[in-house]
Amino acid sequence: MTTPEQSRQQQERALERGEVYQDAEGHSTADPGAGAEHADSEADRNAEQLRQGEVGPGIPEQ
């Protein structure tokens, strides 16, 4: 049986080897195309939030 620590280590190794792609929201995929799609949509979403004047957590509004 795999422990949570072993599972986490396996996931980290897969990310390091490029076998799995993960975005900032934790979506994981083994498909490089889907990984790029996640990254693009996340970048678009972040850019839109910045255009609207939204700021991220821990960043005080001015």
Side-chain angles (χ1 to χ4, degrees):
M1 186 168 180
T2 304
T3 67
E5 178 64 21
Q6 289 170 328
S7 178
R8 186 183 60 77
Q9 289 174 349
Q10 288 172 345
Q11 289 174 342
E12 287 177 4
R13 284 193 296 271
L15 284 168
E16 290 170 0
R17 290 190 300 262
E19 297 170 356
V20 174
Y21 304 89
Q22 186 175 41
D23 65 14
E25 295 177 346
H27 301 116
S28 296
T29 180
D31 176 16
E37 202 173 296
H38 285 308
D40 288 344
S41 67
E42 188 174 326
D44 292 342
R45 189 170 45 252
N46 290 341
E48 181 60 31
Q49 289 172 341
L50 288 173
R51 277 193 293 278
Q52 294 176 5
E54 296 179 27
V55 295
I59 301 172
E61 290 189 42
Q62 298 188 358

